Amino acid sequence: VQLQASGGGLVQPGGSLRLSCAASGFSLDDYAVGWFLEAPGKDREGVLCVDSSGTPTYFVASAKGRFTISRDNAKNTVFLQMNSLKPEDTAVYYCAAGTDGCYGTLNSRSQGTLVTVSS
């Protein structure tokens, strides 16, 4: 059971990035998948999650209107589309999956991918 996050990088304020969370060794079909971030001086924070039916759950208001989450079960991958990025979005992002919905335990976790928003 493995999750791999990718897609981070350096982007200017106002730019966009799409993060990918790809699963191997198991099918994501029955899993909720969430994206989380870790930043210096901040507690770990949930950003956005999608349940097995494709319904999104926003964990933070700052993501609404800018970030969307989608899943492609054929590719066994969940995507986080981040638009209108701000410097305060700078963080290491990782994904996690679980079978108890977005508010359950998401205990299969990827490595992080660094997102840096800077001019």
Side-chain angles (χ1 to χ4, degrees), residues 17-19 35 47-50 56-58 63-71 78-83:
L17 280 176
R18 189 175 78 158
L19 306 185
W35 283 96
V47 180
L48 191 52
C49 178
V50 62
T57 297
Y58 286 83
K64 292 183 179 180
R66 299 190 302 129
F67 296 0
T68 57
I69 192 169
S70 61
R71 58 191 310 150
V78 170
F79 301 99
L80 179 66
Q81 178 68 44
M82 303 190 295
N83 299 326

Side-chain angles (χ1 to χ4, degrees), residues 16-74:
S16 298
L17 280 176
R18 189 175 78 158
L19 306 185
S20 299
C21 175
S24 60
F26 72 108
S27 171
L28 280 177
D29 287 11
D30 296 326
Y31 283 74
V33 179
W35 283 96
F36 300 81
L37 65 84
E38 293 179 340
K42 293 177 63 175
D43 292 334
R44 183 182 306 169
E45 186 174 62
V47 180
L48 191 52
C49 178
V50 62
D51 68 13
S52 58
S53 69
T55 301
T57 297
Y58 286 83
F59 292 134
V60 290
S62 61
K64 292 183 179 180
R66 299 190 302 129
F67 296 0
T68 57
I69 192 169
S70 61
R71 58 191 310 150
D72 186 334
N73 288 344

Side-chain angles (χ1 to χ4, degrees), residues 78-96:
V78 170
F79 301 99
L80 179 66
Q81 178 68 44
M82 303 190 295
N83 299 326
S84 302
L85 282 161
K86 304 175 182 180
E88 51 263 43
D89 295 319
T90 295
V92 174
Y93 288 75
Y94 66 92
C95 58

Side-chain angles (χ1 to χ4, degrees), residues 11-15 84-87 117-119:
V11 63
Q12 292 186 342
S84 302
L85 282 161
K86 304 175 182 180
V117 185
S118 176
S119 56

